[in-house]
Amino acid sequence: MLQHYRRAMELEVDFFSAQPYRAPRRGVSLLVVDFDDTCTASDSIGLIMQTAIEATVAKADGTEAQQALRAELQGQLQWLVQNYGSRRASLLEEILPEPDPEEPADFDFAWLGDFVDRLSEFDKEMNGVVIESGILGGIKKGMLARAGASIRMQGGCLDLLKQACEAGVPTYVVSVNWSAEMVKAALSQEGLSVVIAEGDGQSAVVAPPGSVVVYANELEYFGDTSTGNIKRRCECAGDKGRLLDDLLLDLAASGEGGQGISVYIGDSMTDIPPLISADCGILVGSNDLVRQVAAVAGVETRPLLSAPLDFSVQDEALDEAPVLWEAGSWAEISAFLFNQQFVPTLRRPSSFKEAAAQPAVAAGKVPRVLSIAGSDSGGGAGIQADLKACMARGAYAATAITALTAQNTEGVAAVHVAPTPFIRQQIKAVLSDIGADCVKTGMLPTPEVVEAVAEELQAQGLVKLVVDPVLVSTSGDALATTGVAEAIKAHLLPLATIVTPNIPEASKLLDDRPILSIDTMKAAAEELHRYGPQWVLIKGGHLAASEAADPTHPDDHHGEGPAAQPGTVTDILFDGKNMIELTERHISTGNSHGTGCSLASAIAAELAKGSDVVTAVRHARKYVWRMLERSRDLPLGKGSQKPMNHGYELADWSAELAGAGVAAAAADAAGAPSSSHTAEAAREMLEAAAARRLRIPNTCDLRVYGVTDPGCNAQWGRSNAEAVRLALDGGTTIVQLREKNADGGPFLREAAAVLEVCRSRGVLLLINDRVDVALAVGADGVHIGQGDLPAAAVRRMIGPEAILGVSVKTVEEARKAEADGADYLGAGAVYPTGTKDS
């Protein structure tokens, strides 16, 4: 029998292998996973209570007092546990009958709705009992993150979440846990990028590419200590069901819902509503109660191995009872979701042909930023720069002024700190009325101001937060008193979406640690990330000019005197897992005051518009770079700290001055740097553009498209990956991997190696001709020629989001390629090369 069975399986494999390939009808468009018991293999709620008990006991004086207090609190905990258990058992005895094993029940939606309502009311009531007990008070910020990192996870769970993120599937984890901070730490144990949903936690938030979004409750804090109260965001079955419904509605509104199935994975009674709402509800674990509820409600459970490969057939049987699919392990779920049938749509932060982001007003709102910072009377930095940058990036900016400075292009003459209660009043006034989608902090002059800002942001409902740790002005004047750096680490970094220090600021935050190279910048980013921010951006402008000179922050290294020699600069962007190097050319100009403020505000504006962090940083850096190019030699002030033209798109002063023939003379008279080769070339470009009545070209808008040459690389004894790394060092901004003679297996391995290099630098990778290899490794797109697969067919295979490039030689070919979905065209070859004879 065993031999017959094996032979039958071999014949089945042969049969299906011989069938013509049919493209998958649906991908995975949404993945939502329950946390407690589904992802975890150990108790997390009990861990929160034990952490609270130990935090409270530690405050008692003396061993005897601590022992007595611990015994009292443990008794209180035991009562809470027993009370919950007995009341829950009584409730289930009342509302959950035993199913009839002889006669399966018909689907009873009304009974299931009543059951979920009663269970939700009970869970909310029990949370109220815990809050009333006060047992959750006294926990310090960061304690639950450390506790979360010790939670034992189910085998294969984190691997599946990573796989989903890497495949571009929007991925969410929901939890009735009392601490989103703890959930995030538990999920981040193996380097998974995790962000916490802001606000009330019950409205859908777009999942950043490569990250998991957590929806959970959070403890309420006063300062850095928990009050014992809970910010209730997701505390019952009803909340989980509403959250999934919101995500599905947003998916449908975006036009992506029809391209894939929604999947929910859970194993508790609170998961029943989302399990039956999703296209594919998967049970994993051994919870008998959830299966009892399903049986009584007439919801059928079947093995996941028997699930249909094409879930679209379920649309034809909407009147039938829902089915839940039981998996034996996370590995089984992974194998099911990420087989060839379910190829998810590729998602990426940006494309070669950058499409304009959908305006925030399309969602019925104006993007809003609140800037909490100091005033610069010279108008180049501080609140004034924040207002101008936000407006230039399309966001409304409100302000809370922390200090008034008397300064100009020569330095800071005086500082007047605003009273802390008045700063609180400003924040309350703005957030209680206008509101904010993102908050940006700048100059916070005292530790008391830092604590007040953190408290108000939490009290008003924390939104996305950009922390620019302004400690010293460009001219070297102190803008913060002793203790501000420590206060920022303790109170603001745990709340931050992103922190944006330059090298001296990062060093100050890390107890004056020397940061002298790219490697030490990366180490500093890792250390700062441990204080709690979701992302860290360290700006590299203070490295020696031989190594780097910062294009987005030349004020960081100018100080007084001439600018550093032209070169390149690398900024480091880190999220706890991905270390992204952002390397660009330095722009030599004396008009660079306020670039740090402007960059942080531009990031805040992009986040307020709905961009993910990586996209926001890239767009903000490009804006500041353009601004620097448009601000060369503006005659504004006598000192070395000259401001920039934030509104260059409205009034291009540099071009107008160059056309009038006064820019260079005025700049020289003011003592601005004029001897560098870059500055001279810039002046020539300005004059030439003005003479031809043309706008100045933006070098940041130009791409360097590198194509690998395997023959050349072999001649020099280097791999394609090594060649690509060198090309990226030289400024290449997009790479095409071209390999005409390699077989599929070796080419696949080579493509994976090149992709790893490109991902580490935030550069897009396209595969020449081989659509199969591009899909297999998850490249950003494909480039094809006229003799390859038709462009329309390739577009269908790679989906709407991946990049498609097409080589053309005639106008007719170009028009057809565009109609077939090409993102860009390669015209040529015009002259023969080593790899092209035409």
Side-chain angles (χ1 to χ4, degrees), residues 37 304 454 559 675 828 838:
D37 298 325
L304 183 60
S675 58
S838 57

Side-chain angles (χ1 to χ4, degrees), residues 303-513:
L304 183 60
L305 289 174
S306 65
L309 288 178
D310 187 355
F311 269 80
S312 62
V313 299
Q314 297 194 135
D315 296 341
E316 303 169 1
L318 295 177
D319 294 333
E320 295 183 5
V323 176
L324 302 183
W325 306 98
E326 292 187 280
S329 66
W330 283 92
E332 182 181 336
I333 300 175
S334 178
F336 174 75
L337 291 183
F338 299 105
N339 61 60
Q340 291 183 350
Q341 179 71 15
F342 293 112
V343 179
T345 300
L346 294 175
R347 299 167 72 233
R348 63 182 190 284
S350 59
S351 67
F352 184 89
K353 183 179 71 177
E354 289 190 358
Q358 183 182 16
V361 292
K365 69 172 186 176
V366 173
R368 305 153 301 170
V369 173
L370 169 61
S371 173
I372 306 173
S375 170
D376 175 1
S377 59
I383 283 287
Q384 287 81 353
D386 296 344
L387 288 169
K388 290 182 279 188
C390 286
M391 182 58 68
R393 299 309 302 161
Y396 177 83
T399 63
I401 298 177
T402 59
L404 304 174
T405 67
Q407 65 174 295
N408 53 27
T409 62
E410 296 178 313
V412 179
V415 176
H416 177 73
V417 177
T420 301
F422 181 63
I423 296 173
R424 288 181 181 269
Q425 289 178 323
Q426 293 179 78
I427 297 171
K428 290 178 182 177
V430 172
L431 294 182
S432 64
D433 177 25
I434 298 171
D437 301 296
C438 186
V439 174
K440 177 259 179 185
T441 63
M443 177 185 175
L444 304 176
T446 68
E448 292 74 22
V449 170
V450 175
E451 293 183 30
V453 168
E455 290 170 6
E456 288 302 325
L457 292 181
Q458 292 180 87
Q460 297 294 324
L462 181 65
V463 292
K464 299 173 184 176
L465 175 63
V466 178
V467 176
D468 185 21
V470 177
L471 301 173
V472 179
S473 73
T474 306
S475 56
D477 298 288
L479 297 177
T481 60
T482 302
V484 167
E486 291 300 318
I488 288 175
K489 289 191 293 185
H491 301 288
L492 280 183
L493 293 195
L495 309 178
T497 306
I498 183 171
V499 58
T500 63
N502 57 32
I503 286 179
E505 290 164 347
S507 176
K508 189 71 174 176
L509 290 170
L510 297 175
D511 301 321
D512 296 320
R513 172 193 296 183

Side-chain angles (χ1 to χ4, degrees), residues 23 771 782 784-786 788-800 802 804-806 813 815-823:
V771 181
V782 181
I784 59 173
Q786 292 299 311
D788 300 316
L789 290 172
V794 174
R795 172 54 74 195
R796 287 195 298 271
M797 296 171 69
I798 65 177
L804 175 59
V806 180
E813 290 176 352
R815 288 174 177 163
K816 186 176 188 309
E818 182 180 24
D820 289 342
D823 291 300

